[in-house]
Amino acid sequence: MLNRRTFLTGTAIATGSALFAPALLRAQEPLVFWGPGATPSIVVAQAIASGDLDGVAPGATFQAWKTPDELRAGLSSGSMPASVVPSYVAANFYNRGLGVRLLNINTNGLLYVLASDGSIADIAGLKGRRVGVPFKNDMPDYVLARLLEKAGLIAGTDLTLEYTATPAEAVQMLLAERLDAVLTTEPAATAALARSAEAGKPLHRVIDISQAWTAVTGKAVIPQAGLALTDALVERLGPDGIEVLQAAMEKAVDTVLADPEGAASLVTETFGLPAAVIARALPFSNLTAGRASLIKPDLVEFFEVLAAVNPAILGGKLPDDAFYAL
């Protein structure tokens, strides 16, 4: 049955090289796609490895940014024309007139709470605990703040939040028993569970933040991160090139889920983890390639919940339709 996705995958990708290569090959530097060392980036790495982008981005590569500050500097300077980013970051940059739009969402939530005490069952169970949170004033922190508020818990009074520079640092503090629980992403969560088992200090995946979010907000998903493009890159690719890129990422999701170890092998060096560990994290990563313009209601709902805590998170307002227009 021929539908839009089948058409794009079977036709736009197949003809991308013939239609778009000449224009893009003229004095264009190879495009670098960026992303965090987290499982959504595997979708981009797979799209590049498949060859489906050769017509619109010949010689494209993937690199990982290390911190949100590095990401913001790259987007601001234009040195990161395409990157997997927290969805609210793309909205913030767009609202501030910095020429960034959101092509799609690559994950509907990959945050988990790990703890040495397996009896913790929900956010309320964090009362009285020391909880590690990576990236202060960023996506994990904002999501947890909203959940704590809904649970009637006050950070600093009902529980202690310890902020760390990276998920790995938070996990290390948990393993050293300096924390009772950590909020972390995939594949860091799966890697931590493996490490703790080997060390004889087993940790537990006690809270699925996506499920907790749905329970307290009534919203179905957390459209957490996706591929943002600068206006300069949008102009360079053109509408047809954008369609090829989106179709390639939709196809890549299917490939990653069908062959998790093969996909994981593409990023083992970048992530610094064995392919087997990364592959085990994929079922917990809620990977997708939902086009932003088609899932706008989910994004608006998510943004509204975040803005209720602090409107400045989005740059003071909801982004208008052009943000989703790709």
Side-chain angles (χ1 to χ4, degrees):
M1 183 175 180
L2 185 63
N3 55 33
R4 178 177 180 274
R5 179 173 177 178
T6 305
F7 175 79
L8 288 174
T9 303
T11 305
I13 291 178
T15 61
S17 180
L19 290 176
F20 313 119
L24 292 174
L25 286 173
R26 289 197 298 266
Q28 294 280 13
E29 293 184 2
L31 179 60
V32 178
F33 287 85
W34 293 80
T39 44
S41 294
I42 296 176
V43 178
V44 177
Q46 178 61 51
I48 295 170
S50 71
D52 291 335
L53 297 179
D54 288 352
V56 297
T61 58
F62 171 78
Q63 293 186 34
W65 47 263
K66 304 301 182 185
T67 68
D69 287 341
E70 181 185 359
L71 165 65
R72 292 184 179 90
L75 287 176
S76 298
S77 66
S79 63
M80 293 184 185
S83 180
V84 177
V85 304
S87 54
Y88 85 89
V89 170
N92 181 287
F93 269 63
Y94 176 82
N95 280 335
R96 291 164 54 200
L98 297 177
V100 173
R101 287 188 280 170
L102 189 66
L103 175 61
N104 55 36
I105 287 295
N106 299 142
T107 175
N108 282 324
L110 70 162
L111 288 169
Y112 295 87
V113 174
L114 306 184
S116 53
D117 181 355
S119 69
I120 297 173
D122 53 25
I123 296 297
L126 297 177
K127 185 174 182 177
R129 313 278 185 165
R130 298 165 299 169
V131 181
V133 181
F135 308 139
K136 185 175 183 179
N137 294 327
D138 220 282
M139 178 68 80
D141 192 18
Y142 290 145
V143 170
L144 181 61
R146 190 58 168 158
L147 293 177
L148 291 174
E149 178 189 26
K150 288 287 188 178
L153 299 180
I154 300 173
T157 300
D158 298 312
L159 73 163
T160 301
L161 298 184
E162 296 282 352
Y163 291 102
T164 66
T166 65
E169 181 184 346
V171 167
Q172 186 58 43
M173 291 176 67
L174 177 60
L175 291 173
E177 301 181 357
R178 294 166 56 193
L179 295 171
D180 301 308
V182 299
L183 175 65
T184 190
T185 59
E186 288 292 1
T190 295
L193 293 173
R195 287 177 56 198
S196 69
E198 292 173 358
K201 297 180 179 180
L203 299 177
H204 306 275
R205 192 189 298 264
V206 294
I207 304 175
D208 181 333
I209 294 297
S210 295
Q211 293 179 4
W213 184 266
T214 298
V216 303
T217 68
K219 310 306 180 184
V221 296
I222 301 178
Q224 186 170 337
L227 186 65
L229 308 178
T230 62
D231 285 349
L233 181 58
V234 170
E235 182 178 356
R236 168 179 165 179
L237 293 178
D240 292 328
I242 294 294
E243 294 301 332
V244 172
L245 174 56
Q246 174 61 21
M249 294 195 67
E250 291 175 5
K251 180 181 173 184
V253 171
D254 293 338
T255 302
V256 169
L257 297 180
D259 181 15
E261 290 219 7
S265 68
L266 299 173
V267 294
T268 53
E269 184 175 348
T270 303
F271 287 12
L273 292 171
V277 171
I278 299 171
R280 288 201 299 272
L282 294 177
F284 298 97
S285 300
N286 295 306
L287 297 182
T288 182
R291 190 170 188 138
S293 58
L294 298 181
I295 60 169
K296 177 183 173 183
D298 290 336
L299 283 159
V300 170
E301 285 186 341
F302 180 53
F303 291 158
E304 286 177 338
V305 173
L306 291 181
V309 178
N310 180 4
I313 291 172
L314 301 177
K317 61 183 179 180
L318 291 172
D320 60 34
D321 287 347
F323 175 68
Y324 312 91
L326 294 174

